[in-house]
Amino acid sequence: MKDMRPTLMLFIAFTLILGGAYPLIVTGIAELAFPSQASGSFVADAGGVSAGSRLIGQHFTGAKYFWPRPSATEDFPYNPMASGGSNAGPTNPDYLKTVAQRVRAYRESGVTHTLPSELVQASASGLDPDISPQGAAIQAERVARARGMKTADLGRLIAAHTQGRQLGFIGEPRVNVLELNLALDAMK
Amino acid sequence: MNNYGWMQTIVFFAVLLAAVKPFGAYLARVFRGERTFLSPLLVPCENLLYRVCGVDRDEEMPWRRYALSLILFNLAGGAVLFAIMLLQGALPYNPQKLASFPWQLALNSAVSFMTNTNWQAYSGETSASYFTQMFGFTVHNFLSAATGIVVAIATIRGFVRHRTDLIGNFHVDLTRCILYVLLPVSLLVAPLLVSQGVIQNLSPYKKVPLVQPLTYEKAKVDDGGNAVRDAHGNAVTERVTVREVTVPMGPVASQEVIKELGTNGGGFFNANSAHPYENPTPFTNLIEAFLMLLIGASLTYTFGEMAGNTRQGWAILAVMLAILVLAVGINYAAESAGNPLVAKLGVHQVNLEGKETRFGLAGTALFSSATTGTSCGAVNAMHDSMTPLGGMVPLSLILLSEVVVGGVGTGLYTMIAFVVIAVFVAGLMIGRTPEFLGKKIEVREMWMSIVTVMTSGVLVLFFTTLALWTPQAIASMANPGAHGLSEILYAFASMSNNNGSAFAGLAANTLFYNLTGSLAMLVGRFAPIVASLAMAGSLAGKKYVPPSLGTLPTDKVPFALWLSLVILVVGALTFFPALSLGPIVEHVTMLGGK
């Protein structure tokens, strides 16, 4: 078959162009133009020590930190090596028990409001760095009590860390939990 | 539901519509071999490639030769990809020293990427080296996309040409598709994604100290990797404190853009486009959804322009978008209505299980419909955790053979097959010889269209039934009852239609799913391709019949409605029983509070 040679040669040529040249060119452009984003959007804490990526959530428990969304990653919550969701179906009895437990944890921390869904439902990536501004607001009283601060001060901190919709209408308003907690630690 | 959500959806579709004509016209110029604004830069590269590879650019091919070259090209690619995964441990660009893939997983993954399915039974961050991601997956994202597009172009030529057996040159079509379309868009958009936070590097994975260390109970394993059990048979656990975590890195942006543009959908990471490093902001979410739809939607205009009747292209696009927008609306409404079983516990009603905060319900509805209306299969949310009706939307879009707007190329040639069927049935009803674009539709064209449209349906029902007879296959279900059936149905719908998304709870990395899935993906991909090329060959050989009074106008509203009906009826007749036992039963159960 005389088409054999051009067919196979094209495959080899495109493997080199698309698998080698193309990603390397994009890497070059990315590292020149957006070095911080290209390497993972890492942030430093108040002391200048690397404290993780602003895009990859971390797990926080205990009263003095804002709690992020539940995470269903394997081994432990917010395991960046095991991104993924619970894949629980909406009528799965085990899943409903888990949600009920999470609701109880918030009730025990003194929250009486109807809970924003994201606080008790696990994210798709298991690494979701954000919660809604409402989700942060209902935790403010607990954090204020634990740190001996004023709830109103925390309200202002949350507002300062709230990212609005992009271009005014895309997506949902959100608060980055890691950055909010780092700011809290920086305040003391 | 809120007004911002609707506004975002409306703006999105307006921008998409605005892009269809210029981009579609550009595609037509590329595949007619005409000059474009990129020609000064690209013609030398193109000529060099032809010379080095021994391509005779002026020699056109009959359909059999076109199909054989295409299949040879794909099989060679699949074999090399299979080999890359088997040898991964010994190849460079592997800073994490990841081991090679086991053979059955490598086979499934190779078939998956070769067929534009990108079904993934592995998770990227722990299984695939940078070499595999770049020289394997990224390359195949381009090649399988180009394969789909050139088949659509060849199919169009069947209608446009008369009394010839030539439908184009596979090598030239493929080369021009990559050089003039896929590569420039990728190079343009990848840096934009990086600016928003998509990573792009070849560094080893990073160790990051946790602000608050955490402890968890870990199941103890012995040296052989088996769980240690105590005298009562319970798993023994040990307390582990985590002070730092490992964050995966990689050349993500370069793959992310072609994964969406080529409607491939294979995630760099396990969480796919829900991962903050793949899809960091609501804006990237819209860009990625836009890329998925761009080529599929624009090809309808290319079709109209090449066939000399742009109204025909718009009529087809109208049918596609009507169904797609309806799907977005239903999913948005169902997820907003949420899960009453969770709401009852004192939680707001919206269902955010398996969704990311930043996208919100509107961004998720748009993405999940776009990814299953095309053959993309990238996910920004876990479809498995959607409400029963919300999750039925992506499932149904796949089962409708992915024609709204469809995978790159595949959407158009599948839609053309639906048009041929619609014309034929309408012709029978009004007692006229069926014609479409001046070509008589006869038995051969009907056969080829039926093969194109029905292959996936037969595969889905056959393999789902087989799975339900196989105890090991049932054991893979992650959720009990009706939802478990939905998981298996979704898996074979996804693989047979070369989508690649999943109700991901299903434990799919087993011998049964790897092998049956490979077969479903191969047949689901190449049977429609060969049928479409055969139809193109047969049509190109026919003479042109000028429209007469008795010709059914196929570019007007009544035909568009008829076409929508044919698509929905074929889908409903094939899958209604299976859907009633899965999502519909679950919906009723959920409302009943069980």
Side-chain angles (χ1 to χ4, degrees), chain B residues 115-128:
Chain B
T115 56
N116 198 262
T117 311
N118 303 34
W119 172 266
Q120 295 170 293
Y122 63 90
S123 65
E125 51 267 58
T126 49
S127 306

Side-chain angles (χ1 to χ4, degrees), chain A residues 22 69 83 86 92 121, chain B residues 65 125 254 352-353 355 479:
Chain A
Y22 160 69
R69 297 186 64 175
S83 65
S86 69
N92 186 330
Q121 294 189 314
Chain B
R65 206 176 135 198
E125 51 267 58
S254 53
L352 286 175
E353 182 70 32
K355 297 192 184 65
N479 290 286

Side-chain angles (χ1 to χ4, degrees), chain B residues 399 401 414 417-418 421 446-461 496-497 527-528 570-571 573-575:
Chain B
L399 291 175
S401 306
T414 311
F418 269 117
I421 292 170
M446 265 312 279
W447 265 114
M448 295 305 136
S449 296
I450 294 285
V451 169
T452 303
V453 166
M454 293 309 296
T455 299
S456 59
V458 172
L459 290 171
V460 173
L461 295 180
S496 306
N497 285 287
V570 169
L573 286 180
T574 317
F575 297 111

Side-chain angles (χ1 to χ4, degrees), chain B residues 231-270:
Chain B
H232 304 289
N234 299 320
V236 178
T237 60
E238 55 189 341
R239 220 168 158 67
V240 179
T241 300
V242 183
R243 295 181 193 286
E244 63 171 19
V245 292
T246 307
V247 177
M249 294 280 118
V252 178
S254 53
Q255 185 165 331
E256 190 71 19
V257 55
I258 186 61
K259 150 191 154 188
E260 317 291 3
L261 180 68
T263 60
N264 296 280
F268 198 97
F269 302 114
N270 187 48

